[in-house]
Amino acid sequence: EVQLVQSGVEVKKPGESLKISCQGSGYSFTTYWIAWVRQMPGGGLEWMGIIFPGDSTTKYSPSFQGQVTISADKSINAAYLQWTSLKASDSATYYCARYGRGMDVWGQGTAVNVSS
Amino acid sequence: DIVMTQTPLSLSVTPGQPASISCKSTESLLHSDGRTYLYWFLQKPGQSPHLLIYELSSRFPGVPERFSASGSETDFTLRISRVEAEDIGIYYCMQSRQLPYTFGQGTKLDIK
């Protein structure tokens, strides 16, 4: 079964760093792009960026460029989204999705709560 | 960025009745390769989004036949021929013709 499994709920304070993960299985992880999507509480979907795990080519939305870092470790079939200094406004659910025929496989989402 | 605008933002439908959602883009989503990079997703309550339609009008495997989609370069429509209770949720269109990829605001469908 093709699936993406994301890391669990995170509760952090402003200024802390964070790295969440997305583990792929059931397919050739290095040959499909992985996208990250933000959903703020009660909000819609926002496309953040995309990475090709085969060579780590990464493209960011200008809205998120410089705010987050997308990376991948192809040796363990994992993609990552990380922050160096969280803000309260980073509180959201973050989804990873495989880009096959469109974003055809989604992770279950990682909820991030940033509060003092 | 390409802006995606959905209408309506919400609709309430009686089971068995049809429904349609419009999505308009500020630029053509037709690529020189002949494909139109427009997608439709459904996010059911409490769940991750899932893909319904890819490349304008192709139903993703497992998606019921009551879902169909059509459109041209900038105007797109998702149709549900006979709405069922399980179709409730928020529908999103998305373009991947040009970076950054962008979503519509979402259309919330509920059952009367």
Side-chain angles (χ1 to χ4, degrees):
Chain A
E1 179 192 5
V2 176
Q3 58 179 352
L4 296 173
V5 177
Q6 298 185 231
S7 49
V9 175
E10 298 280 357
V11 179
K12 291 289 192 178
K13 291 182 166 38
E16 292 185 331
S17 62
L18 175 64
K19 189 174 188 177
I20 63 175
S21 66
C22 170
Q23 186 87 33
S25 62
Y27 73 100
S28 177
F29 188 74
T30 57
T31 59
Y32 290 83
W33 292 81
I34 293 285
W36 285 96
V37 175
R38 183 175 78 174
Q39 186 167 42
M40 298 182 76
L45 305 175
E46 300 174 89
W47 188 86
M48 301 176 71
I50 198 164
I51 188 166
F52 189 72
D55 62 6
S56 289
T57 297
T58 309
K59 301 176 190 297
Y60 293 91
S61 166
S63 298
F64 293 93
Q65 179 89 48
Q67 308 304 308
V68 297
T69 300
I70 295 171
S71 61
D73 184 342
K74 63 183 180 181
S75 69
I76 57 170
N77 290 357
Y80 303 97
L81 181 64
Q82 69 180 90
W83 297 258
T84 56
S85 181
L86 286 161
K87 303 184 280 288
S89 57
D90 293 318
S91 296
T93 297
Y94 295 87
Y95 295 99
C96 62
R98 184 186 80 164
Y99 202 90
R101 285 173 289 184
M103 287 153 64
D104 58 1
V105 179
W106 290 66
Q108 82 277 24
T110 295
V112 175
N113 186 357
V114 184
S115 173
S116 55
Chain B
D1 297 4
I2 295 177
V3 177
M4 307 295 289
T5 303
Q6 291 182 229
T7 54
L9 296 184
S10 67
L11 72 166
S12 188
V13 183
T14 300
Q17 294 302 301
S20 68
I21 299 168
S22 171
C23 174
K24 296 184 189 298
S25 60
T26 52
E27 298 179 41
S28 173
L29 302 187
L30 175 62
H31 193 277
S32 56
D33 62 10
R35 299 178 182 182
T36 301
Y37 289 92
L38 186 279
Y39 305 84
W40 291 96
F41 299 89
L42 167 59
Q43 185 175 30
K44 295 185 179 183
Q47 296 185 17
S48 303
H50 66 270
L51 181 64
L52 295 174
I53 302 289
Y54 64 96
E55 292 176 12
L56 180 64
S57 59
S58 296
R59 245 187 331 269
F60 190 66
V63 174
E65 290 185 6
R66 62 180 181 276
F67 290 91
S68 64
S70 62
S72 62
E73 297 184 24
T74 59
D75 289 350
F76 311 98
T77 302
L78 176 71
R79 293 184 179 85
I80 310 173
S81 59
R82 290 175 299 279
V83 170
E84 297 188 6
E86 66 180 26
D87 299 336
I88 64 166
I90 303 176
Y91 291 79
Y92 295 93
C93 60
M94 189 201 85
Q95 67 82 21
S96 67
R97 170 62 182 84
Q98 179 185 113
L99 289 168
Y101 302 164
T102 46
F103 290 93
Q105 322 94 300
T107 296
K108 185 174 184 179
L109 183 148
D110 64 29
I111 300 295
K112 278 185 184 173

